[in-house]
Amino acid sequence: MQITVEAKPFAALETEALVSYVFEESDPIQGRIAEIDPAANSLLRNLAKSGEVTGKVLEMTLIHAPAWLKAARLLLVGAGKREKFDSAALRKISGAALRYLKSRGVHKFVFAVREGNATEDSAQAIAEGLLAADFESDKYKTEKKNDKSIDSVQLAGYSAAERAAAEKGLARGTVIGESQNFARDLINEPSNKLTPRILAQKAEAMARQAGLTVEILDEKKITDLKMGALLSVSQGGPEPPRVIVVTYTPANAKPGTPVLGLIGKAVTFDTGGISIKPADGMEKMKYDMAGGATMLGAMRALAALKPNVKVICVVPATENMPGGTAQKPGDIQTAMSGKTIEVLNTDAEGRLILADAVHYAKQLGATHLVDAATLTGAIVVALASINVGVFGGADQSWTDKVLASAKAAGEKMWQMPMDDEYREYIKGTVADIQNIGSGKGGGSITGAWFIREFAGDTPWVHLDIAGTAWNDDAKPWLAKGPTGVALRTLVELALSY
Ligand code: BES
Ligand code: ZN
Ligand code: ZN
């Protein structure tokens, strides 16, 4: 799909469909939309008067062959209340419009921003919305639905003077949208097509193409480094683990400046191990590598957007299998940091592999950490699929920075409590620490506290994306399946340095 900026007056554009949006207010037909209305014999205002066009969020009004336009169709999308309208809404509207038109066989359309919205940010949001909405994997279908595709979209409503800003926003949004889809492609892969070794190969290929430094640690190196927590998870099956390390170094890198560490859980399949999961729904555990994929996607975007900060990405990759060599409940493992862990539940494996990855990221020089992981079912209970769970360490200013980036990127995140009392739940009886809480409830918090033990005093934020990384039902603006959530926040975080 090609997205370009078109500075011509949009009423004069020849296209299969002209798309714009109307607000939910007493008269939704205002401004630029009203300007094209006189020629339409007040058709639009009459539709509004009759209640067919209200401006309610995602309401779709499709008008065929409007004689007063060069376009073959006019699509008006409801944008909701004007006061609540922001770039997140624009992202959704543009995505929903794309999916609406795509399903109707349209191949090319013009998306026109309204007066006051012709900014760099809006162009970025629209590009992100369009690219995310266009993603639909039919990779493993032998019959492709090739007739249903969007080939090109023109962004209109920008004046000649606004064009440069629009193009800048579009370029940035395209990089971010494509990187998000890169992550979603990885997340979609089933576990037989994406083992830890294959994930490492794909990460390496991406990094080389993007001009990033990459190192893949194999099982020998992992053993030499004494990553006992990661190895305890991978020992349950024949697939060897990998640790993927991708580094971005800015051109003017100065020693002594902050280094961002991005750590992502990549369990390419989570059976639960000996603490095995129920069969029902287990197939979904192919997405237990979404945190790692999201971090790799973020690195892909950062390579192109070139932030001013060094970024080290560490992705521990393994399967969690219940083979004859698997670790068993009660086993005691020694993490790379030297801490001993009593593994009370082999299904709480994400925190084990993150323990070593977080420790290693610090050793490589990361001074500020963010990890993303499909860590707990408990976060789904707490926040459903609406908000990412955010857990911070002692440095609230670092958590605030991540939350501010999420707000700017239009990703919903909610900070969870991390009182010291929760830490008591994971204090070990026979080892230093145990991998599940002894108290009832608070499962996502004890999971976060476990990782925090390895982050130590280094500013750290944990994102639990178990509820938000996978869309169970298609939305008007997004297909069913992987979402790539948190990527935009992480890119924004790095760029805001
Ligand atoms: N990968 C799961 C968490 C998960 C659950 C992700 C649902 C996506 C959807 C994780 O490894 C896990 O099994 N966690 C356990 C922890 C428990 C044993 C303390 C859980 O949440 O049940
Ligand atoms: Zn698990
Ligand atoms: Zn898991």
Side-chain angles (χ1 to χ4, degrees):
M1 181 173 59
Q2 279 289 113
I3 313 174
T4 50
V5 177
E6 177 53 68
K8 276 194 213 126
F10 57 75
L13 289 172
E14 278 180 48
T15 174
E16 290 178 37
L18 172 65
V19 183
S20 200
Y21 44 96
V22 289
F23 297 104
E24 186 180 356
E25 48 201 1
S26 55
D27 178 15
I29 309 303
Q30 292 187 43
R32 282 181 186 167
I33 301 298
E35 282 161 29
I36 56 172
D37 195 26
N41 229 344
S42 297
L43 168 75
L44 302 180
R45 190 153 281 130
N46 287 339
L47 285 175
K49 275 192 191 135
S50 72
E52 201 169 324
V53 174
T54 66
K56 281 205 169 55
V57 179
L58 298 177
E59 167 194 80
M60 299 282 176
T61 309
L62 182 63
I63 296 160
H64 284 274
W68 71 100
L69 290 177
K70 288 260 167 63
R73 300 170 186 80
L74 173 67
L75 175 63
L76 290 184
V77 188
K81 300 258 192 282
R82 205 184 271 269
E83 319 82 78
K84 281 180 115 186
F85 186 77
D86 56 9
S87 56
L90 200 47
R91 201 179 281 111
K92 265 190 193 170
I93 286 171
S94 54
L98 181 141
R99 286 171 59 80
Y100 183 87
L101 293 172
K102 191 179 182 179
S103 71
R104 281 160 181 78
V106 168
H107 297 289
K108 290 183 176 141
F109 67 91
V110 174
F111 189 94
V113 291
R114 292 288 299 272
E115 54 281 9
N117 295 155
T119 60
E120 184 179 327
D121 278 359
S122 73
Q124 178 180 339
I126 295 166
E128 289 168 359
L130 292 172
L131 283 160
D134 196 35
F135 178 91
E136 199 114 32
S137 179
D138 58 357
K139 189 171 166 189
Y140 294 111
K141 289 252 170 80
T142 52
E143 261 176 61
K144 313 272 184 210
K145 293 189 281 183
N146 274 342
D147 54 320
K148 296 265 159 71
S149 70
I150 299 290
D151 304 326
S152 68
V153 182
Q154 292 170 297
L155 306 191
Y158 296 86
S159 69
E162 291 156 344
R163 189 185 183 122
E167 270 167 358
K168 221 169 144 204
L170 168 60
R172 181 188 288 193
T174 302
V175 166
I176 294 174
E178 286 176 355
S179 297
Q180 193 166 339
N181 288 347
F182 165 82
R184 292 164 82 196
D185 254 328
L186 291 175
I187 300 167
N188 241 344
E189 288 292 303
S191 72
N192 63 327
K193 307 280 184 193
L194 194 92
T195 61
R197 281 179 294 175
I198 300 173
L199 178 63
Q201 281 164 8
K202 289 187 190 253
E204 196 170 4
M206 177 280 289
R208 289 202 194 291
Q209 208 183 356
L212 296 161
T213 314
V214 57
E215 193 189 1
I216 308 294
L217 313 187
D218 62 10
E219 60 271 40
K220 171 159 190 318
K221 189 82 200 283
I222 293 168
T223 310
D224 290 348
L225 286 169
K226 298 194 168 64
M227 292 188 170
L230 168 60
L231 285 166
S232 79
V233 177
S234 65
Q235 77 184 46
E239 276 296 335
R242 290 290 182 264
V243 174
I244 302 160
V245 184
V246 180
T247 308
Y248 162 81
T249 311
N252 53 351
K254 287 189 201 79
T257 50
V259 176
L260 178 58
L262 301 180
I263 301 110
K265 168 180 174 182
V267 174
T268 58
F269 197 82
D270 183 10
T271 67
I274 296 298
S275 314
I276 200 160
K277 287 183 181 294
D280 207 23
M282 200 201 271
E283 72 283 352
K284 266 187 75 182
M285 282 302 118
K286 69 172 187 177
Y287 89 90
D288 212 17
M289 35 61 71
T294 301
M295 293 309 186
L296 293 170
M299 293 307 288
R300 182 190 181 278
L302 292 177
L305 301 176
K306 306 204 185 311
N308 251 323
V309 62
K310 181 171 174 174
V311 189
I312 303 174
C313 169
V314 179
V315 175
T318 177
E319 291 186 338
N320 185 22
M321 296 293 284
T325 55
Q327 68 176 335
K328 300 167 286 293
D331 284 2
I332 295 176
Q333 311 290 358
T334 306
M336 185 184 183
S337 73
K339 260 195 215 318
T340 56
I341 304 165
E342 187 180 11
V343 179
L344 291 175
N345 189 316
T346 66
D347 196 11
E349 85 297 341
R351 60 201 75 181
L352 294 174
I353 72 172
L354 289 171
D356 284 342
V358 161
H359 182 82
Y360 190 54
K362 284 201 295 176
Q363 201 174 80
L364 293 176
T367 61
H368 292 73
L369 309 171
V370 182
D371 80 69
T374 46
L375 202 78
T376 65
I379 201 68
V380 190
V381 176
L383 301 175
S385 60
I386 309 296
N387 274 284
V388 170
V390 177
F391 303 82
D395 186 350
Q396 181 61 33
S397 68
W398 179 235
T399 312
D400 286 341
K401 217 163 160 6
V402 174
L403 289 167
S405 300
K407 189 129 194 66
E411 292 187 311
K412 285 186 188 285
M413 301 206 179
W414 191 258
Q415 186 173 3
M416 301 286 285
M418 283 289 278
D419 307 71
D420 290 341
E421 285 88 335
Y422 294 106
R423 184 189 193 176
E424 300 300 315
Y425 288 180
I426 55 162
K427 278 228 167 112
T429 41
V430 292
D432 297 337
I433 184 175
Q434 58 189 42
N435 81 328
I436 57 169
S438 50
K440 276 209 181 77
S444 57
I445 306 173
T446 44
W449 254 111
F450 185 95
I451 305 168
R452 180 171 170 179
E453 289 291 319
F454 295 86
D457 294 333
T458 305
W460 156 88
V461 167
H462 158 63
L463 305 176
D464 195 336
I465 57 171
T468 44
W470 192 271
N471 219 352
D472 280 328
D473 304 297
K475 302 230 161 72
W477 60 91
L478 207 70
K480 176 180 168 160
T483 61
V485 73
L487 182 143
R488 291 204 310 266
T489 297
L490 297 162
V491 171
E492 176 65 31
L493 179 70
L495 289 176
S496 66
Y497 262 84

